[in-house]
Amino acid sequence: ELAGREVRKSILASKAKETGCTHVFLAHHQDDQIETLLFRFLRGTGLYGMQGIQPFSERNSVFWCRPLLDIPKKNILKYAVEKKIKWRTDSSNNSPEFSRNKIRNELIPEIKRHFDSFPSSLLRFQRLSRGLLDEIFSILPRTYQDLFFFMPGHVFIFSDQLKHTTPHLFAELMRKYLKESQLTPY
């Protein structure tokens, strides 16, 4: 799944650069966000990962925009049907061999059967995670933000600063800065 996603993104980035395009709009929607949050939670992510799919990101001078993250898939499909817009569904979306499909096709329907507050409770936790991390990172002393130094293909961690950092804070900082380093996979 990761390899396929990276290839698709690489192709889109190449086409964007080739055509002089600086912004690529993607159709990730609320259901994708919910799957991503559950997937990350089940893998043991921290607060940084529970921020979910970001509405905007930048990589290799291309801005990736996801304007549909707050819209459920069923609303998008309803609109497409009403406006006679054709779409394509990837046949691999139903394959039970991929973890994300198991979450989408088995786990989410089961959770919904037992918990009326789902998925709004998960989305509320996502907003809380994002808000807490924004606040934490905004009040951190500059020394914490200077724990990491990036060069193409490398991340350097200044170990003398680590002795003043709690393990939980270090883990969240590590996730944040590795993600921002654009090392793939991080």
Side-chain angles (χ1 to χ4, degrees):
E1 285 179 275
L2 177 62
R5 203 168 27 255
E6 288 303 317
V7 167
R8 284 192 303 272
K9 208 165 198 180
S10 175
I11 290 169
L12 284 171
S14 291
K15 288 294 180 190
K17 285 185 189 260
E18 189 179 297
T19 61
C21 175
T22 58
H23 292 71
V24 174
F25 287 77
L26 302 169
H28 291 108
H29 46 73
Q30 190 178 75
D31 296 49
D32 293 321
Q33 184 75 280
I34 292 161
E35 291 166 15
T36 297
L37 291 167
L38 277 175
F39 193 62
R40 289 179 181 178
F41 175 76
L42 293 170
R43 284 190 347 227
T45 191
L47 282 178
Y48 191 79
M50 288 308 293
Q51 292 182 94
I53 303 169
Q54 299 298 303
F56 301 99
S57 59
E58 185 268 335
R59 185 173 177 181
N60 300 326
S61 303
V62 175
F63 293 93
W64 303 90
C65 308
R66 300 167 188 88
L68 305 176
L69 283 175
D70 292 330
I71 302 172
K73 180 179 180 178
K74 68 180 180 184
N75 293 12
I76 296 168
L77 293 178
K78 180 181 174 196
Y79 180 85
V81 168
E82 287 171 2
K83 300 295 181 184
K84 296 181 173 61
I85 299 170
K86 293 181 182 180
W87 70 87
R88 182 184 171 280
T89 301
D90 186 339
S91 60
S92 71
N93 284 349
N94 295 320
S95 171
E97 82 178 83
F98 299 115
S99 299
R100 184 173 290 275
N101 294 346
K102 290 177 189 168
I103 290 169
R104 175 187 308 122
N105 300 325
E106 299 171 28
L107 185 58
I108 289 175
E110 193 64 23
I111 293 172
K112 284 180 177 179
R113 276 193 4 199
H114 296 283
F115 297 94
D116 294 337
S117 63
F118 186 85
S120 59
S121 57
L122 183 63
L123 294 169
R124 192 169 40 255
F125 183 71
Q126 176 221 7
R127 288 188 300 275
L128 176 65
S129 298
R130 185 176 292 161
L132 283 171
L133 281 176
D134 286 348
E135 193 167 327
I136 288 168
F137 292 136
S138 74
I139 62 174
L140 281 178
R142 187 74 202 155
T143 54
Y144 285 113
Q145 297 176 36
D146 289 337
L147 280 171
F148 305 93
F149 175 74
F150 303 103
M151 289 180 64
H154 296 85
V155 177
F156 298 92
I157 303 170
F158 295 104
S159 58
D160 58 325
Q161 297 290 341
L162 289 179
K163 60 186 167 198
H164 306 295
T165 309
T166 65
H168 299 309
L169 179 57
F170 177 74
E172 293 307 322
L173 287 167
M174 177 74 93
R175 286 181 184 98
K176 173 182 171 50
Y177 293 115
L178 283 177
K179 177 75 172 178
E180 289 174 2
S181 75
Q182 300 181 358
L183 291 175
T184 305
Y186 65 93

